[in-house]
Amino acid sequence: MTMRKNVGIAFFLLMSFLVGTAETLAAESAKTKSWDWSHWETLPVFHQGRIMPLDALARLEVLQICGREKPRLVFQGEKRSFRSSEIFFSWLVEPELWEDVPFLPLEKEVLRTRMGLPLHDEAGVRLSKVSPAETIRFYTSPEYEHLVAELEAAKKTSPDGNYPPAEKELFDALTQLERQIMAYRALTFHPQTAGTLRTEFMERLVSVMQTWSMGLQPGISKMPLANKGLAEKISAHLQTLGQLFWKDGKEQNTQSVSLEALAVPTGALVRDSETLAKEVETYILQLLQTPAPEGISPPQWQYVQSQSRTHWVQMKRLAIQYNELQYALYDDGMPLNILPSLDAAPLDAWRDESVQMHPWLSLHALLYGSREGILRQFPEKAHPTIDAIRQAFSGMVQAWKAKRGADFTQASEQFAEQIQELAQETASIRENLLPKERRDDEILHATVYPTDPTNLRREVFYYHLTPFLWGWVFPFVAFLLLGLAGIFSLVLAQSKDSGGIFPKIRSILWILGLVFLVVGVGFTTWGLALRSWIMGRAPVTNMFETIVFVSWTAGVMGIWLSLRQILEPAFSFGWQATSPGGEKETVARKIAWGLFPVRLFLMGGIVWLLTCAGFGLGDGYNVISLTPRLAIGATFPSLSDQVVWLTGILTLGVLVWWIPRMVLTPVGAAYWLWKERGSWNVAGDQKIWFALATSLIVFLISYIAYSCTSLFNANLRNLMPILRDNYWLSVHVITIVASYGAGMLAWALGNLSLLIYALGKYPEMDGKRTEPAICQTLSELIYRCMQAAVLLLVIGTILGGLWADVSWGRFWSWDRKEVWALISLLVYLLILHGRYVRLLGEMTLPIGSVLGAMAIIMAWYGVNYILGSALHGYGAGVGSLKIFFLVAGGNALLILMAVGRYWGMLGATEWRKEKKF
C-alpha cells in the first residue's frame, strides 16, 4: 500500500509539472492565436536537393542570420519572440522596416568598437546585436579597409603564416557577420526594388559574355545555318545588357535599371539561344554523317567534326547558362522555389552536371515574371491560375501589413491551393518535356510537387515539437531528483533511525526521477522515429543523429539496468510467451498459441518489406535480394555479390525469426507485470545510483547534440550517394552507434564507481576493510555493458567491411576510421579478456570503461572532426581536441584519486593479493 501511495504522489507531482509547462506554452502561443501560419508553413519548397515545408527553410535561414530559430527582438517598439516562418515572411515583404532593427549577432567587443557601436545600452545592459544598416555602413567605410589591412599585415608577420589568436578571433567574427549580412541581403532581394545591385545577375552576365565571345561566336558564325542572323541577334542582346551595366569600360550606376529593361533583352536572348542551339544540333548531326569532301584528308575531316561537336556541346551549355541568367533576374542567390518549372534542362539525363539548373521556379519569378519571358513555357490555360496566385499573395501582404489575422489566414490558404492547382495543371506537361530515353526519372520523381501534404505537416510538427530539447530537459530534471534521492540515501545510511518521512521522500524522488528519465528517453525515441518517418531512412546518417542515438541507447540500457529485477523476469516470461512449443509454463504456452497467428503475419510482413517493398525514389529498390545481383553483362555473380547476397539472406532469417518475437514479447511481459504487480520492488539504494548515472550521461550527450547545432548539423537533408542504401545504413551504422551507446553507459557507470572508490565509505568486515559494496554490483553492470559494446562493435565492423567491399571494392583499407574502430575494439577485448582470466579485478573495469570511452570518442568524433577521415569524409567537420583532452584529463584525475584512496584504505599488498588491478 505504501508503494502505491508513493507512486500516486509521484504521479500527481509529475502531472503538475507537465500541466504547468503546457500552460506556459499555451500562454506564449495565445498572443498569435488569431494568425494561422499552417498554410504558409506547410507550403512545399525545393531547397538543397529536397522538397521540404517552408517552415523548415525559414528555420534554416533565420538560424543562420539571427543565430536562433525563434529570435526575441524589438520590432516597432515591441519586444517579443518571432516564429521563424513569421519573421521570414516579414523579411520577404517589408525588408525596409528591418534595416535599423538589431538582429544580426555581434558580441565581439573589439569589433563593435571598430564599427563605432556602443557596448551597452542606456540601462547598462550589454549589447550583442547589430542592424543591417549599421553593418552595411561599416563595410562601405574606410575603417573596414583599415581593419582588413591590419589583419592581413598581422597574418604576414606571423611566424607560421596564420592569424595570431587575437586577430584570428576578430577575423572569424568579421567573417561570420559578413556571411550573415550576405545571407540576409540574398533573402530580402526584390527584383522590382529600385537600387538593387543584382550581384548574381552581373556575375552570370560576365561569364556568358566571355564564353560567347571567346571562340564560340566565331566558330558558329562560320557554320552554314538556315537562320544566319541568330548569332548576330545574340550578340546584340548581350550588347544591350552590357550597356546597362558598363559604358566605355566603366561600371554604370545600376540603381535606375528596371526589371523590365533587363527582362526584355534577357528573354529574347534565351529564346534565340535555344533556337540557335537546335539549329547547331541539326547541322552537327548532318556533318557527323557526311563523308570527307574531296581535297580534305580523313584526319583533317575528323578534326573538323571534332571541333564542330565541341561547338555543339558549348552551345547547349551556353543556352542553359542564358536560362540561368534569366533566373538570376528574380533571385540573388537565395531563391524561394515554390513550383516545379517547365524547363527541360534539369530533367535531361544527358545534362551537363557542371551547369547549375533550377528544377523549380521561385516565388519572385512566379509573381513578377513575364509570360513572354521566364513563364513562356506555361500554357495559356494556366495564366488565370497564375493571376490568382499573384492576387492571393498580394492579399497576404496587405493583410499582414494591416495586421488582419483572419484575412491573412484566408489569403494564405488560397495561395497554397492555387499553387497546388497550378502544379497539377502542369504535371503532365512536365512529364512529357523530354522523350523517355532522355528523361531522368529519378530527378523527375524527386521534384514532383507533393499532392499529399501529410509528410510536410509531419515535418512541421517535428520542428514545433522540438523533441530533442525535451530529450535533455527531462533527463536533467531526473538527474536533479535522483541526486536528491541519493543524498537522502546517504543521510539515511548514516542514521540509525530508518523510519519517518525521509524514506518516503526518497522513494517519491526515486520514482519521479525514473519517470522523468523515461519521459526524456521517450521524447528522444519520438524524435528519432519522426526523422526516420519523414526522410524514409534510418536516423543515423550524420553526427547529430548518431549523438542522439547514442543517448537513446544509453538511456534504454540504463533504464533496463535500473529496473532489471522487475523487467528481466517479465520479459523472460514474455519471450517464452512468443513460442508455442516446448514451454513448461501453461499460461505462457496459451498466450503463445494466441499470438501465433500474429507472429506469422509479422514474419510475412517482414519478408515482404525487406524483399518486395520499394525503397527510395521511383519504383525504388529491395533492401534484400532473394537472388544474387549480377553486374551488367555478367553471367555469374561475383564473389562480392555472393557475399552480399548471403549476408542479406542470413540477416533476413535472423530478422524474420527474432523481430516478431521481440515485437510480441512486451505483450507477455505486460501480462506478467500486471499479474505480479503486488511483488514489484522498485526501491533500493543501488537502483538510485544506477539511474543517477544513466540520467547524467543521457543529459550530457543529449545536451551536447542539442546545443552544438553549429558544429553538428541537425537539419534534415539528403544523403550522399554512398549512404543511400537503407539496408547497409541500418545494419552497419545502427549497430556501430549502438555499441557507442553501450560504451558510453559503461563510461557513466565507471565514473560513478571511481567516484565511490575515491569518496565512498570502506566498511569493515571481520576486522578488515573492504571496498564499497556497491562497487561489486557496478563492476558487474560495467562488464555487461562492455560485453554488449564488444559484440556490437565486432558485428558492426564486419558489416562495415562488407559495405565497403560493395561500395569501394575492398573490405579493409586502413582508413583512419577503420583503424580507430579496431583500436576501440582491441581496448575492450584486452580488458574483458584480462578480467575473464582473472588477471584483472573489479577496479580495472571502471578504469577500462574510461579507456574504452576515450577510444570510442576518438573513433566517433576525433576522426571526423579532427583528423578528417578520407574515405569516410562524408561525416567530416571542423572541431577541436580541447574538450576531448579536458574530459580525458578530468577522468585521469578521478582515476588517480580513486586508486590513491583505494591504496590508502586497503594497502598495496591487499591490492596485489586480491588482484584488484
Side-chain angles (χ1 to χ4, degrees):
M1 183 64 67
T2 303
M3 180 56 64
R4 291 184 181 179
K5 184 177 180 180
N6 291 340
V7 171
I9 295 174
F11 179 77
F12 172 77
L13 294 174
L14 174 63
M15 293 305 298
S16 300
F17 175 84
L18 294 177
V19 169
T21 303
E23 289 178 350
T24 303
L25 296 175
E28 184 69 21
S29 63
K31 299 178 181 179
T32 57
K33 62 181 180 180
S34 61
W35 295 83
D36 184 0
W37 290 93
S38 60
H39 304 292
W40 174 251
E41 289 179 339
T42 56
L43 189 71
V45 298
F46 189 82
H47 184 68
Q48 293 182 349
R50 80 177 185 95
I51 299 173
M52 62 175 65
L54 187 141
D55 180 63
L57 174 61
R59 289 173 182 273
L60 288 175
E61 294 302 315
V62 174
L63 178 63
Q64 179 185 4
I65 295 170
C66 297
R68 297 183 61 185
E69 291 183 357
K70 293 182 63 177
R72 188 170 180 82
L73 306 170
V74 178
F75 180 67
Q76 295 184 332
E78 180 185 2
K79 185 175 184 179
R80 66 182 182 89
S81 295
F82 288 83
R83 61 197 301 156
S84 297
S85 54
E86 177 187 8
I87 195 172
F88 186 84
F89 181 81
S90 182
W91 284 346
L92 286 177
V93 302
E94 51 184 10
E96 67 279 358
L97 299 182
W98 290 90
E99 281 298 297
D100 296 314
V101 177
F103 60 83
L104 300 172
L106 181 59
E107 298 183 358
K108 190 69 177 176
E109 293 186 356
V110 177
L111 183 54
R112 293 188 66 91
T113 303
R114 296 296 295 265
M115 294 177 65
L117 301 174
L119 302 180
H120 301 84
D121 62 10
E122 297 178 354
V125 179
R126 188 169 178 265
L127 299 174
S128 60
K129 295 181 178 64
V130 61
S131 70
E134 292 170 329
T135 305
I136 296 299
R137 193 180 304 123
F138 170 69
Y139 278 112
T140 56
S141 67
E143 180 61 27
Y144 172 73
E145 297 179 0
H146 296 330
L147 177 58
V148 172
E150 291 177 12
L151 293 174
E152 290 302 317
K155 182 178 180 180
K156 290 180 181 179
T157 57
S158 177
D160 57 359
N162 297 320
Y163 291 107
E167 284 75 9
K168 180 65 167 58
E169 292 182 6
L170 185 57
F171 174 78
D172 290 342
L174 190 65
T175 304
Q176 178 66 17
L177 182 61
E178 184 176 356
R179 282 197 295 262
Q180 290 166 335
I181 189 61
M182 290 179 64
Y184 175 72
R185 286 298 188 218
L187 178 64
T188 56
F189 173 88
H190 196 288
Q192 291 184 326
T193 302
T196 301
L197 294 178
R198 305 187 189 279
T199 306
E200 187 84 4
F201 182 84
M202 292 180 65
E203 290 178 355
R204 290 180 181 271
L205 180 60
V206 171
S207 176
V208 297
M209 290 177 69
Q210 291 176 347
T211 304
W212 173 252
S213 60
M214 293 182 178
L216 187 55
Q217 180 189 10
I220 292 179
S221 299
K222 297 177 183 179
M223 297 179 184
L225 302 176
N227 191 344
K228 297 182 179 180
L230 278 175
E232 287 74 12
K233 285 185 178 181
I234 291 176
S235 298
H237 298 322
L238 288 173
Q239 185 178 4
T240 301
L241 288 170
Q243 288 174 349
L244 295 173
F245 293 98
W246 302 277
K247 188 174 183 180
D248 299 329
K250 296 182 180 180
E251 188 172 335
Q252 300 297 301
N253 185 357
T254 61
Q255 293 185 357
S256 60
V257 179
S258 66
L259 174 63
E260 184 179 0
L262 291 169
V264 172
T266 304
L269 177 66
V270 172
R271 291 192 297 271
D272 290 340
S273 66
E274 290 178 349
T275 303
L276 180 60
K278 292 178 181 178
E279 291 202 11
V280 170
E281 179 179 1
T282 302
Y283 168 74
I284 298 301
L285 290 175
Q286 294 176 352
L287 183 68
L288 295 177
Q289 297 173 0
T290 303
E294 295 183 4
I296 300 180
S297 64
Q300 290 176 329
W301 184 243
Q302 290 177 0
Y303 175 76
V304 171
Q305 291 177 321
S306 175
Q307 288 295 106
S308 300
R309 190 184 292 109
T310 301
H311 290 322
W312 175 25
V313 173
Q314 289 177 337
M315 189 62 229
K316 289 175 59 179
R317 180 184 301 154
L318 193 61
I320 296 174
Q321 289 178 329
Y322 286 144
N323 200 19
E324 290 298 308
L325 179 68
Q326 185 173 230
Y327 279 95
L329 271 176
Y330 301 94
D331 299 282
D332 198 40
M334 177 50 210
L336 177 57
N337 298 312
I338 63 169
L339 181 74
S341 72
L342 296 183
D343 188 358
L347 306 177
D348 193 345
W350 301 353
R351 64 188 179 274
D352 188 344
E353 297 290 351
S354 64
V355 180
Q356 180 183 0
M357 291 167 287
H358 290 261
W360 276 38
L361 199 66
S362 72
L363 173 66
H364 286 154
L366 186 60
L367 294 178
Y368 309 111
S370 66
R371 295 173 181 175
E372 299 78 18
I374 198 168
L375 301 180
R376 71 191 185 282
Q377 294 169 327
F378 284 84
E380 188 72 24
K381 65 177 183 179
H383 292 168
T385 309
I386 294 176
D387 293 336
I389 290 172
R390 294 176 174 180
Q391 184 178 358
F393 189 80
S394 177
M396 291 174 62
V397 175
Q398 293 174 9
W400 168 258
K401 292 183 176 181
K403 295 181 171 56
R404 299 193 303 265
D407 293 344
F408 177 87
T409 301
Q410 183 180 0
S412 64
E413 183 178 6
Q414 293 175 354
F415 179 73
E417 290 176 352
Q418 295 298 330
I419 290 285
Q420 184 172 9
E421 181 178 340
L422 182 58
Q424 292 174 350
E425 289 177 359
T426 57
S428 60
I429 300 175
R430 190 166 183 262
E431 290 181 0
N432 298 304
L433 287 173
L434 292 167
K436 190 171 183 180
E437 62 272 10
R438 287 281 301 274
R439 189 177 64 203
D440 190 330
D441 288 330
E442 183 176 355
I443 297 297
L444 178 64
H445 286 100
T447 56
V448 168
Y449 195 88
T451 56
D452 184 4
T454 302
N455 205 51
L456 297 170
R457 292 172 182 168
R458 188 179 297 131
E459 186 167 351
V460 172
F461 170 75
Y462 161 78
Y463 283 114
H464 283 277
L465 177 65
T466 58
F468 301 121
L469 165 66
W470 305 111
W472 71 260
V473 169
F474 277 91
F476 176 68
V477 177
F479 172 71
L480 297 179
L481 294 171
L482 292 168
L484 289 175
I487 293 174
F488 274 100
S489 291
L490 294 176
V491 171
L492 290 172
Q494 299 295 329
S495 174
K496 296 181 180 179
D497 183 14
S498 59
I501 195 173
F502 291 108
K504 296 180 180 179
I505 296 177
R506 180 188 63 179
S507 179
I508 293 173
L509 289 173
W510 147 247
I511 296 171
L512 269 177
L514 186 64
V515 170
F516 270 86
L517 177 59
V518 171
V519 172
V521 174
F523 269 107
T524 301
T525 307
W526 199 355
L528 290 172
L530 283 173
R531 289 179 74 98
S532 180
W533 202 356
I534 293 166
M535 299 304 294
R537 54 166 171 76
V540 284
T541 58
N542 55 45
M543 193 65 180
F544 172 81
E545 290 180 343
T546 60
I547 294 175
V548 173
F549 196 84
V550 165
S551 169
W552 178 84
T553 305
V556 171
M557 293 183 65
I559 293 171
W560 178 274
L561 293 177
S562 301
L563 297 175
R564 69 190 189 284
Q565 293 179 352
I566 299 175
L567 296 180
E568 283 184 359
F571 277 81
S572 176
F573 176 87
W575 184 259
Q576 294 177 13
T578 59
S579 180
E583 304 294 346
K584 297 180 180 180
E585 181 70 37
T586 305
V587 177
R589 187 162 58 247
K590 291 181 179 179
I591 295 175
W593 278 112
L595 295 177
F596 190 66
V598 182
R599 182 182 173 189
L600 291 178
F601 174 78
L602 291 175
M603 293 172 72
I606 292 173
V607 172
W608 175 84
L609 182 67
L610 297 179
T611 62
C612 301
F615 289 86
L617 301 173
D619 295 333
Y621 63 91
N622 299 332
V623 175
I624 296 176
S625 177
L626 293 176
T627 58
R629 293 182 176 131
L630 292 175
I632 298 176
T635 306
F636 298 100
S638 64
L639 179 60
S640 176
D641 290 330
Q642 294 181 48
V643 171
V644 171
W645 169 76
L646 181 59
T647 304
I649 293 299
L650 291 175
T651 304
L652 179 64
V654 171
L655 295 178
V656 168
W657 181 256
W658 289 93
I659 293 297
R661 298 191 69 180
M662 293 176 64
V663 170
L664 296 176
T665 291
V667 177
Y671 170 80
W672 187 94
L673 289 172
W674 175 80
K675 179 183 177 183
E676 303 293 334
R677 61 189 182 278
S679 61
W680 291 4
N681 179 21
V682 296
D685 293 344
Q686 292 187 352
K687 296 184 181 66
I688 294 176
W689 300 113
F690 304 155
L692 179 66
T694 302
S695 62
L696 177 60
I697 195 65
V698 170
F699 155 65
L700 289 176
I701 297 176
S702 300
Y703 181 75
I704 289 172
Y706 182 81
S707 61
C708 299
T709 53
S710 59
L711 181 61
F712 310 124
N713 194 336
N715 302 320
L716 294 168
R717 60 189 189 276
N718 284 342
L719 302 179
M720 294 183 67
I722 194 173
L723 296 178
R724 295 175 189 172
D725 192 319
N726 263 327
Y727 169 62
W728 289 111
L729 184 66
S730 301
V731 299
H732 165 60
V733 183
I734 286 182
T735 305
I736 286 291
V737 176
S739 73
Y740 293 170
M744 291 297 104
L745 181 59
W747 183 35
L749 295 174
N751 277 283
L752 175 61
S753 180
L754 291 171
L755 191 64
I756 295 174
Y757 273 121
L759 304 176
K761 182 179 180 181
Y762 287 72
E764 290 189 5
M765 186 177 297
D766 298 331
K768 295 172 57 179
R769 287 190 179 274
T770 60
E771 62 185 1
I774 192 175
C775 290
Q776 178 70 31
T777 305
L778 284 171
S779 294
E780 177 188 347
L781 299 180
I782 294 170
Y783 188 72
R784 299 305 177 193
C785 290
M786 292 172 69
Q787 282 181 316
V790 166
L791 178 62
L792 293 170
L793 267 174
V794 170
I795 296 174
T797 302
I798 294 174
L799 291 172
L802 293 174
W803 190 6
D805 189 46
V806 172
S807 302
W808 299 322
R810 91 293 173 276
F811 183 86
W812 193 269
S813 64
W814 297 102
D815 178 68
R816 295 187 183 99
K817 182 67 111 177
E818 296 167 347
V819 169
W820 275 99
L822 181 61
I823 291 173
S824 303
L825 178 60
L826 292 176
V827 169
Y828 281 120
L829 284 175
L830 288 173
I831 295 169
L832 291 180
H833 184 71
R835 164 65 184 266
Y836 181 77
V837 298
R838 297 298 179 182
L839 290 175
L840 304 175
E842 277 69 24
M843 194 173 186
T844 307
L845 288 175
I847 297 175
S849 70
V850 172
L851 298 178
M854 294 302 107
I856 280 179
I857 292 174
M858 192 63 197
W860 181 24
Y861 168 81
V863 170
N864 287 358
Y865 284 79
I866 306 300
L867 302 180
S869 178
L871 287 175
H872 295 78
Y874 45 80
V878 178
S880 173
L881 279 175
K882 292 181 180 179
I883 298 179
F884 174 80
F885 284 123
L886 182 65
V887 173
N891 259 164
L893 180 61
L894 181 59
I895 290 173
L896 292 175
M897 291 173 57
V899 172
R901 178 84 189 287
Y902 190 95
W903 274 358
M905 298 301 295
L906 301 182
T909 303
E910 262 323 290
W911 175 285
R912 292 190 295 269
K913 179 180 177 182
E914 299 295 332
K915 294 182 180 179
K916 296 296 182 183
F917 185 80

